[in-house]
Amino acid sequence: MPRGRRGGRVSALEGGPEEEAPPAAAAVPSALWASQLQPEAAAGQILLRGIFEIGRSSCDVVLSERALRWRPIQPERPAGDSKYDVLCKEEFIELKDIFSVKLKRRYSVKQQGSGTLLGITLFICLKKEQNKLKDSTLDLINLSEDHCDVWFKQFKKILAGFSNRPKSLKIILNPQSHKKEATQVYYEKVEPLLRTAGIKTDVTITEYEGHALSLLKECELQEFDGVVCVGGDGSASEIAHALLLRAQKNAGKETDRILTPVRAELPLGLIPAGSTNVLAHSLHGIPHVVTATLHIIMGHIQPVDVCTFSTTGKFLRFGFSAMFGFGGRTLALAEKHRWMSPNQRRDFAIIKALAKLKPEDCEISFLPFISSQNLQERKVEGSPKSVSNDQWQTIQGQILNVSIMAIPCLCSVAPRGLAPNTRLNNGSMALIIARNTSRPEFIKHLKRYASVKNQFNFPFVETYTVEEVKVRPRTNSAPNLEEDAGRHAAASENNFPWNVDGDLVEVASEVHVKLHPRLINLYGGSMEEMNDSEVNCNCL
Ligand SMILES: Nc1ncnc2c1ncn2[C@@H]1O[C@H](COP(=O)(O)OP(=O)(O)OP(=O)(O)O)[C@@H](O)[C@H]1O
């Protein structure tokens, strides 16, 4: 007979055959804590069985290859009492959702040494609503040192089997992001979780713009399993660019012209601590610090498409999204008013750019995306134009805005994304062109981003799914962004402002954007689509 909570014994299976490492953690954690029963067979071979107190009930606890299951031990009961059956329902967690285990001890003031053992604490990643993850704990109470020691070692062995989880991370933190709260975000919310998970960290706090780029050119990265950015889109994009540039150099590729880039060697984690956090929001479906941290800890990986930006054959940078025209001008205006708070300068810049709304005379050429399935179908049909995808198309005219996006670009002003039909790694980009129209019509189009549907249902808006785009302004002079105040010169003479991942990039002539599928691994899980009722926004 089991001896109850003080002396709960480990069953005959204790010290049984060597267990296999658990299957690698799947991309999506499915912590369904006690929400449904899992058939015993699906949980795999039993490794340990014993008695622990869980939530004030003495429980029969079974550890198998994939799950930990427990059921309150039933006292003698009158036959047919259904209340007991409900109370004694089996509960479980999947082992892939555990990210740490510790011995639980009580320390008293007078006590010397390691304190009184109370049992074992498991640290668990729970899936909540709307892509949110949350950390939680499960206490397995048993005062026997021997009993806990056997279980503790077994949990440690299981955790060591998750080889995809990072053990050491390079953290790059921008203390200036948003309202300068990145340091606080990291030390209050991220670092405690990484410490609990036993992940070693090496933190660099950036001291100037471009610091992350120069750091990642030189620093040793061998000892790290991944890099983590704590900041906003500017920092995240700079670090992704730096990691990709480093990979090209390591592969002996020239970096002046990048045609077929190699993949980044290390995964990148994004902790949202900036003003807009479009990248982290698109990756996680929610700009939530704990969710982002738990994806890193659990080693969830998403391969993500990246673009190269070049001009006149010369490589400029890697990036995920870009805007030209209204989007570029708005950022250029916002950058000139850095002294304002992030929200103030964003609103100010939007209003000012709308007041001075002016189309750009452009030529836009693009290579439409043809899915591998469509290419295959064309091959079968034996179409003469068929098998290669080299059908460039060209549009000319007065254009208010061009958006080129390899990722959905979720943000507070567009909860479904500025490019809602794009995915992180579908091998294509959204090209969204707003031709010249009246200011009220353009504002109506912008406002639609905040709602659920029909953002692009305007006669002046065209959308394409593409692999490559070339944007060539046909006017000679770039816009003067500060005509009224002589204090600032135009963005830079004869340069056109582009917004690349929230960074101002000034280019005098044609910009060539090319998509490279799955070029970087980001720490993140696969996303659930949001219901319409879950989307809300009150901007503009
Ligand atoms: N110590 C620093 N001082 C000034 N600028 C810095 C420093 N460290 C990094 N930067 C630069 O700050 C720029 C913007 O930072 P970041 O994107 O993190 O914050 P943000 O602008 O508030 O957020 P978002 O880009 O999401 O709007 C980055 O391009 C980065 O190079």
Side-chain angles (χ1 to χ4, degrees):
M1 280 288 288
R3 276 182 274 140
R5 70 172 168 149
R6 277 191 171 264
R9 67 195 169 113
V10 178
S11 80
L13 284 157
E14 181 182 302
E18 280 280 301
E19 89 285 6
E20 278 176 22
V28 190
S30 58
L32 301 167
W33 188 325
S35 61
Q36 65 186 53
L37 294 179
Q38 195 188 43
E40 222 166 285
Q45 188 195 347
I46 292 176
L47 305 171
L48 289 175
R49 182 167 199 157
I51 307 291
F52 286 96
E53 186 184 307
I54 301 178
R56 300 219 177 140
S57 303
S58 240
C59 293
D60 174 17
V61 184
V62 177
L63 175 65
S64 48
E65 282 173 315
R66 287 189 199 86
L68 178 78
R69 291 176 290 120
W70 65 95
R71 186 192 288 275
I73 295 164
Q74 297 185 29
E76 292 288 319
R77 63 187 174 93
D81 190 341
S82 59
K83 247 198 298 180
Y84 272 119
D85 290 337
V86 176
L87 287 174
C88 296
K89 224 174 181 181
E90 184 180 80
E91 300 184 57
F92 81 98
I93 52 169
E94 291 187 69
L95 300 190
K96 70 178 176 60
D97 296 325
I98 301 174
F99 65 88
S100 187
V101 57
K102 296 208 184 311
L103 287 171
K104 187 177 171 68
R105 294 184 186 276
R106 186 200 297 125
Y107 298 90
S108 60
V109 185
K110 289 181 201 149
Q111 205 169 359
Q112 305 249 310
S114 57
T116 307
L117 181 80
L118 299 178
I120 292 171
T121 301
L122 297 176
F123 295 83
I124 296 154
C125 171
L126 291 181
K127 191 166 185 210
K128 309 296 277 187
E129 74 294 344
Q130 288 183 22
N131 296 307
K132 203 183 247 185
L133 300 183
K134 188 179 177 305
D135 60 299
S136 183
T137 54
L138 177 69
D139 288 333
L140 307 176
I141 301 299
N142 188 306
L143 306 189
S144 158
E145 292 268 357
D146 291 347
H147 183 66
C148 288
D149 188 52
V150 171
W151 281 72
F152 180 71
K153 283 185 178 145
Q154 187 70 58
F155 280 121
K156 278 280 185 197
K157 212 168 174 179
I158 287 164
L159 286 172
F162 292 114
S163 56
N164 57 330
R165 296 185 182 177
K167 292 171 188 64
S168 173
L169 292 169
K170 175 75 201 167
I171 313 285
I172 301 176
L173 187 156
N174 178 359
Q176 298 296 327
S177 294
H178 192 43
K179 294 180 185 164
K180 305 190 179 178
E181 69 270 53
T183 313
Q184 193 186 356
V185 165
Y186 178 71
Y187 285 104
E188 285 183 7
K189 295 187 179 168
V190 182
E191 196 270 344
L193 279 172
L194 298 180
R195 193 163 9 101
T196 299
I199 297 174
K200 277 196 278 173
T201 52
D202 180 72
V203 182
T204 296
I205 297 183
T206 54
E207 289 164 17
Y208 53 89
E209 194 174 333
H211 187 175
L213 178 61
S214 44
L215 174 84
L216 287 170
K217 266 188 196 151
E218 308 292 332
C219 75
E220 250 334 306
L221 285 179
Q222 259 153 345
E223 64 181 280
F224 301 111
D225 301 311
V227 175
V228 172
C229 165
V230 188
D233 288 323
S235 299
S237 178
E238 180 180 328
I239 295 172
H241 168 71
L243 288 174
L244 283 161
L245 209 54
R246 189 182 171 114
Q248 310 316 306
K249 288 196 177 136
N250 289 350
K253 298 223 163 203
E254 63 163 325
T255 49
D256 265 6
R257 287 181 81 237
I258 295 183
L259 297 174
T260 49
V262 297
R263 306 187 72 210
E265 289 150 5
L266 289 181
L268 171 61
L270 304 178
I271 303 292
S275 319
T276 48
N277 306 307
V278 166
L279 289 173
H281 199 153
S282 301
L283 180 64
H284 305 302
I286 179 174
H288 185 240
V289 171
V290 170
T291 301
T293 309
L294 285 169
H295 279 304
I296 295 169
I297 289 172
M298 307 305 277
H300 299 153
I301 292 288
Q302 280 289 311
V304 175
D305 299 343
V306 182
C307 310
T308 44
F309 293 83
S310 354
T311 183
T312 55
K314 194 173 170 349
F315 172 73
L316 292 171
R317 58 175 287 165
F318 292 99
F320 300 90
S321 69
M323 282 190 275
F324 175 76
F326 175 77
R329 286 164 187 245
T330 306
L331 180 65
L333 284 166
E335 286 300 311
K336 284 177 188 298
H337 296 83
R338 271 252 154 211
W339 50 272
M340 291 184 181
S341 76
N343 291 346
Q344 250 185 343
R345 69 171 176 263
R346 186 197 67 192
D347 293 349
F348 168 82
I350 290 177
I351 290 166
K352 191 146 191 184
L354 281 172
K356 292 180 179 296
L357 192 66
K358 189 168 107 26
E360 218 69 73
D361 187 14
C362 306
E363 182 179 280
I364 303 167
S365 321
F366 59 91
L367 195 57
F369 170 71
I370 300 179
S371 68
S372 47
Q373 193 190 343
N374 281 358
L375 266 180
Q376 196 58 35
E377 279 166 16
R378 285 193 189 187
K379 264 188 206 168
V380 173
E381 285 163 12
S383 155
K385 287 182 183 171
S386 70
V387 283
S388 74
N389 174 25
D390 56 358
Q391 311 299 310
W392 281 86
Q393 294 182 21
T394 301
I395 288 173
Q396 290 177 344
Q398 300 288 319
I399 309 288
L400 283 179
N401 188 63
V402 182
S403 300
I404 305 165
M405 294 172 167
I407 61 170
C409 292
L410 271 61
C411 54
S412 60
V413 296
R416 272 187 178 278
L418 295 169
N421 301 326
T422 312
R423 295 289 166 268
L424 293 172
N425 49 28
N426 58 354
S428 67
M429 306 184 277
L431 167 63
I432 303 157
I433 299 169
R435 287 183 184 264
N436 197 16
T437 188
S438 67
R439 188 178 294 120
E441 279 298 295
F442 186 65
I443 292 174
K444 223 192 253 178
H445 159 56
L446 294 183
K447 278 183 156 182
R448 285 267 182 95
Y449 276 108
S451 72
V452 177
K453 289 182 206 132
N454 300 334
Q455 293 96 326
F456 308 128
N457 199 5
F458 291 91
F460 60 92
V461 177
E462 294 165 32
T463 63
Y464 303 90
T465 306
V466 301
E467 288 175 19
E468 271 182 72
V469 185
K470 290 175 186 171
V471 179
R472 188 170 67 83
R474 296 197 298 176
T475 36
N476 292 328
S477 55
N480 184 347
L481 298 163
E482 283 287 354
E483 282 158 357
D484 52 344
R487 284 175 294 140
H488 305 283
S492 174
E493 267 183 38
N494 294 328
N495 278 343
F496 290 86
W498 280 75
N499 175 340
V500 179
D501 295 337
D503 269 354
L504 182 61
V505 177
E506 293 167 333
V507 189
S509 52
E510 178 182 275
V511 171
H512 178 188
V513 188
K514 184 172 183 197
L515 185 100
H516 304 276
R518 298 169 169 249
L519 204 58
I520 193 165
N521 279 339
L522 300 184
Y523 285 113
S526 46
M527 255 202 284
E528 274 172 23
E529 302 291 324
M530 277 190 286
N531 297 327
D532 291 350
S533 60
E534 291 161 354
V535 177
N536 53 48
C537 164
N538 53 6
C539 52
L540 281 173

